[in-house]
Amino acid sequence: MYIEEVSEVTQELHEALQRLVPQLGAHKIPPTWAELTQLIESEASTLLVSREPDERGPIVGILSLTVYRVPTGLRSIIEDVIVDETMRRRGIGAALVRQAIELADQSGAEGVSLTSNPRREAANQLYQAMGFELRKTNPYFYRLK
């Protein structure tokens, strides 16, 4: 397995996200080329990809890490952890999350947040096994579009 930070948008990356993002749910829409470019060019965001079996292999997983400043400190959040359904239970998700935690730590963030749908039982078990603590909070979302 090989994990890398994405530094440019390629056809391979774009096609991989077209395949992977819908695996989060039928309502999830993959990014356009322009949206993917904005993500990669954002100073606050890092997109990690996992390749199998090595750096020449296909993209089989992704993770997005965002590090941002608020008045009370430097925060980080992991979003869109996706491992191809044919490649799950091989440690790919855990490796992506470990790399994101290391990057967040290097940036000076005080911790890493993430959310996961309760129906994603394997993912939730993974996060708890890795040391993430379930927070009792009320998640809110205001839809703009």
Side-chain angles (χ1 to χ4, degrees):
M1 167 184 346
Y2 180 76
I3 296 181
E4 65 184 323
E5 290 182 43
V6 175
S7 59
E8 67 178 326
V9 179
T10 63
Q11 188 65 34
E12 177 197 24
L13 177 66
H14 186 256
E15 289 173 3
L17 269 74
Q18 302 307 301
R19 176 177 43 84
L20 292 170
V21 169
Q23 293 182 34
L24 275 180
H27 64 286
K28 300 293 184 179
I29 300 170
T32 64
W33 189 282
E35 291 166 338
L36 194 50
T37 299
Q38 287 178 323
L39 173 66
I40 301 308
E41 291 178 354
S42 169
E43 290 184 26
S45 298
T46 301
L47 182 64
L48 299 176
V49 298
S50 176
R51 296 176 177 277
E52 188 68 36
D54 56 30
E55 66 271 9
R56 292 179 305 276
I59 296 171
V60 296
I62 65 164
L63 176 151
S64 181
L65 172 70
T66 302
V67 179
Y68 58 99
R69 171 135 330 257
V70 295
T72 56
L74 194 61
R75 304 279 192 265
S76 64
I77 187 166
I78 291 172
E79 296 274 356
D80 295 342
V81 180
I82 312 168
V83 175
D84 189 282
E85 55 198 5
T86 65
M87 299 297 290
R88 292 181 185 161
R89 299 213 177 266
R90 298 180 191 202
I92 295 168
L96 285 163
V97 172
R98 277 194 300 275
Q99 181 67 26
I101 290 170
E102 184 176 319
L103 291 172
D105 186 35
Q106 291 172 3
S107 75
E110 60 190 56
V112 181
S113 296
L114 61 79
T115 62
S116 183
N117 188 312
R119 292 183 301 239
R120 299 186 67 209
E121 292 178 17
N124 283 283
Q125 290 172 359
L126 169 67
Y127 301 141
Q128 290 180 31
M130 294 185 75
F132 284 86
E133 298 174 5
L134 183 61
R135 289 193 284 179
K136 301 294 181 190
T137 188
N138 296 331
Y140 295 96
F141 181 75
Y142 185 90
R143 184 164 303 278
L144 298 171
K145 296 179 183 171

